[in-house]
Every structure is written in structure tokens, then in C-alpha cells.
Amino acid sequence: MSKDRIRFLHLETAGVAARLVGFAPSDHLTAGSSRKASQAIRLVKSTFRDELKCIVKQERSGIVIECPEASECAILDLCIVVERKLERLKSEPLTARMVEEILAVSGAELRRWSKDGRIPTSGRAYFSQGRKQVGLFLYSPDVIRGLSSHADQIARWRSQDRQPAH
């Protein structure tokens, strides 16, 4: 496929002839997490800065990358690499803090709903805190995206939890 026909899902390449590439993290990519959006911006910046001499300008909704010394071909090749990295980032599991932010729920609600299976986990991550191993639940971004588009479900769960147990 020729490079002029490549469609990029996350990067804006309309200005590539002027050596400009834009990026604004979408909810589709980040599942609505500002933390994941920050990760995506850092990933794009670092990839372009490591490979090409670029100037990165912060815009209101994202970044604009200017690569005055690079060829169009080199920029488009790097855009393909960045798109692959962004797709991997998109599919990475979400941490509990990200899910709390996306769904606007408390930590206690998320723990309760995870334990009773209302919000399925997709595994655990572990890290050391001194001699102690700490485990964190991870969540599927697809499941959380779907749940975030049904805010009424969260309201129903809250209502159910307020009902006295019989």
C-alpha cells in the first residue's frame, strides 16, 4: 500500500507535507482516562524525539510535532511505528485509579463491584513495597469503555447497594 493511502487512526497527518503531525488522544484510545492520555502523549513525543529532530508544541487538546529536517517518507514511516505503539497502549489493562476516574466511582465502590463480579477484572499486577508484595486489580479497557457509555448502570448499582439486605 502506498504511503499516500495510509489512514492513521490516532495521528493527524494532513500537514505531513509541511512536516507537521498532530496528535490529540481520543476517548477511544484512552477509555476516558486522563492518566492514559498523558501516557499516550509522552509515548508520541518520545518516539518522535528519539527518531527525528522534532519540535513538539503543546496545544489545547494535544500536541503538534514539527520535523523540519525530516523527509515526508521518514515521518510517515515513523507514524506507522507510533500507531502500532498507540494500539498496544490502547489494549493495555487499566489500573483501579484509571477506572475510578473513568467511571467516576469511589475506590470502595470499585473494590466491592470487582469482588462481587459486577466489574470483571482482567488480572493482577504486583509490585514490592519494602518486603511486602502489593497486588492491584487490572481491568479490560474494552469492558470499562462499554460500562462508561452506560452511566445508568452505575446509578442502578449504587441504588441496589443502598437497599437493605433482607
Side-chain angles (χ1 to χ4, degrees):
M1 179 178 237
S2 71
K3 288 190 174 97
D4 58 327
R5 292 191 190 148
I6 296 173
R7 294 188 89 85
F8 294 102
L9 191 59
H10 306 293
L11 298 173
E12 174 54 55
T13 58
V16 79
R19 311 300 190 261
L20 297 173
V21 175
F23 175 68
S26 67
D27 283 349
H28 178 70
L29 172 66
T30 65
S33 167
S34 63
R35 290 172 188 258
K36 202 149 196 169
S38 295
Q39 282 181 316
I41 288 172
R42 282 192 310 273
L43 183 147
V44 173
K45 279 182 181 180
S46 67
T47 304
F48 272 93
R49 284 183 175 156
D50 290 349
E51 297 297 322
L52 303 173
K53 290 183 180 176
C54 298
I55 302 160
V56 179
K57 296 176 185 167
Q58 191 71 40
E59 296 286 320
R60 191 165 179 226
S61 62
I63 56 175
V64 173
I65 302 158
E66 183 179 359
C67 305
E69 298 176 23
S71 69
E72 265 184 75
C73 189
I75 294 169
L76 289 172
D77 285 343
L78 191 55
C79 286
I80 292 168
V81 171
V82 170
E83 284 285 334
R84 288 184 186 133
K85 288 181 177 187
L86 289 170
E87 280 301 306
R88 281 193 299 273
L89 178 69
K90 176 183 162 191
S91 63
E92 284 180 6
L94 301 169
T95 65
R97 285 219 171 116
M98 289 177 181
V99 174
E100 290 167 17
E101 173 198 6
I102 294 164
L103 300 179
V105 300
S106 71
E109 288 172 325
L110 183 59
R111 281 188 299 279
R112 180 172 54 249
W113 297 338
S114 296
K115 286 180 181 179
D116 68 17
R118 289 186 255 185
I119 299 180
T121 61
S122 67
R124 291 179 69 110
Y126 295 92
F127 66 94
S128 295
Q129 193 171 37
R131 294 181 183 195
K132 183 175 144 186
Q133 278 278 56
V134 178
L136 302 172
F137 284 124
L138 297 175
Y139 299 86
S140 164
D142 294 331
V143 169
I144 301 306
R145 269 188 214 94
L147 195 51
S148 71
S149 65
H150 294 94
D152 57 321
Q153 181 63 56
I154 301 291
R156 278 196 298 276
W157 288 344
R158 284 182 174 141
S159 176
Q160 288 171 359
D161 290 351
R162 281 193 297 270
Q163 302 295 322
H166 294 80

